[in-house]
Amino acid sequence: MSSKKNLPFTREDLKKADVKLLRDGRWGNACVSVAEVNGERWTIKDFSNRHWLVKNSFAKLVLWRELKAIKKLAGLEGVPNKAFMLDDYTLAVQYIPGRVLARVPEGEVTAEYLEQCEAIINAIHQRDLVHLDTRGTSNWVMTPDGKPALIDFQASVHTNGLPKKLRSFMEDMDMGGVYKKWKKYLPKEMGEFREKENERISKLRKLWVLKGYMGVKKRHAKHGKPIDD
C-alpha cells in the first residue's frame, strides 16, 4: 500500500468527514459510502468490518482490481479518474456526481446520451479493459450536464494478452449492455445495425456464465438515501 504521507486523506480524516451511506452490501460486499474530505467527494468501498476470510480473499481481489482499472483509464472522460487504497480493506474512488440511470425518468434518456455511452465503452476497450457489468442501471450515471458516466470497475478484466475471440466476446458483453438500454429507452431510434448487434449479442450472452455481478446477484442490501437526486 502507498505511504500514508502520499494519500489524499487518511482514515482519521475520514472519521471527521461528512459521510453518507449509499449501500451496505452485507457480509460478502463492501459498505459503500460517499465522503466529502477537504472539499472533494469520494466513493468509499469499505470491507474492514467484514469477516476476516472475506477481507483477506475476495475483498483484496476486487479492490485492487478496481484500483488497477481506474489507473489504466486515467484521463478518460466518463469514468472515475482517481483512486487509492485508504488501507488494506478500503478503496477511495473519485465520486462522479449525478443520478444513477435507475433514478432517471425515461424521457430524459436521449439518443445522444446513449451514443456517448457507446463512446465510453469503446474508449475503455481501447485501453485493453472490459467492464463486464454494464447491463444494469446502477453503474451508469447521468451527470448534472446530462452526460453519461460509468462507475464500479471491480468486475473489470484487463484484456491485453487474452485470445482475440475471448476478448471480442467480453467486449460484446459490454456493448450489449448499452444496446439493452437503446432497446428499453429508444427502440425506434436504434437503427438496423444496433438491432442486429443486439440480437447477436443476446444470443451470445446465453453462453456467458457471469450473469449479474461476477455471477452473483446482489440481494438484501441496505441502501441509504440517493445523494444527487
Side-chain angles (χ1 to χ4, degrees):
M1 189 176 69
S2 301
S3 169
K4 288 185 177 181
K5 292 182 180 180
N6 297 325
L7 300 181
F9 60 89
T10 66
R11 174 67 74 172
E12 289 303 310
D13 295 326
L14 186 61
K15 291 178 181 178
K16 304 171 187 176
D18 179 19
V19 181
K20 294 183 174 66
L21 175 70
L22 287 182
R23 182 178 68 252
D24 185 350
R26 306 298 182 182
W27 69 272
N29 296 101
C31 176
V32 183
S33 304
V34 171
E36 185 166 341
V37 188
N38 300 325
E40 188 170 6
R41 287 202 287 183
W42 298 82
T43 299
I44 309 296
K45 297 188 174 185
D46 189 354
F47 281 91
S48 61
N49 291 325
R50 300 310 185 221
H51 189 278
W52 67 269
L53 184 60
V54 173
K55 291 196 297 185
N56 290 288
S57 55
F58 176 76
K60 286 188 175 181
L61 171 67
V62 298
L63 293 179
W64 281 102
R65 186 197 312 234
E66 183 159 18
L67 178 64
K68 287 175 64 179
I70 291 171
K71 287 183 176 180
K72 196 175 185 71
L73 299 177
L76 285 187
E77 185 177 357
V79 297
N81 274 195
K82 294 186 289 184
F84 68 96
M85 293 297 294
L86 185 61
D87 55 41
D88 288 344
Y89 309 115
T90 309
L91 177 68
V93 180
Q94 177 191 25
Y95 178 77
I96 296 182
R99 296 168 291 167
V100 293
L101 197 55
R103 297 184 179 275
V104 175
E106 290 192 10
E108 293 185 30
V109 180
T110 64
E112 182 180 9
Y113 176 90
L114 296 176
E115 288 168 356
Q116 291 172 346
C117 289
E118 293 176 3
I120 289 172
I121 293 296
N122 284 326
I124 290 170
H125 293 171
Q126 288 172 7
R127 294 284 182 100
D128 299 321
L129 194 77
V130 286
H131 185 278
L132 296 185
D133 197 9
T134 64
R135 291 184 65 82
T137 51
S138 61
N139 289 337
W140 288 101
V141 173
M142 181 176 285
T143 63
D145 59 0
K147 294 182 177 181
L150 184 60
I151 59 175
D152 197 350
F153 283 81
Q154 63 184 37
S156 62
V157 171
H158 296 259
T159 56
N160 188 30
L162 290 182
K164 185 176 180 180
K165 287 186 178 180
L166 178 58
R167 174 174 178 154
S168 178
F169 181 84
M170 289 182 168
E171 290 178 351
D172 280 343
M173 294 304 103
D174 271 3
M175 192 60 77
V178 182
Y179 294 148
K180 179 184 177 183
K181 286 156 189 60
W182 277 100
K183 195 73 173 176
K184 175 181 179 180
Y185 295 106
L186 296 169
K188 294 181 179 179
E189 298 184 41
M190 285 184 73
E192 184 178 359
F193 173 78
R194 294 189 184 94
E195 283 278 10
K196 289 183 176 179
E197 281 294 279
N198 183 55
E199 291 176 8
R200 180 183 67 82
I201 294 171
S202 294
K203 291 176 182 177
L204 280 178
R205 191 170 180 270
K206 294 178 181 179
L207 304 174
W208 183 237
V209 294
L210 297 180
K211 296 178 182 177
Y213 166 65
M214 296 178 69
V216 180
K217 293 183 178 179
K218 296 176 183 176
R219 293 175 177 170
H220 309 300
K222 177 183 177 182
H223 293 263
K225 294 181 180 180
I227 300 297
D228 293 317
D229 276 12

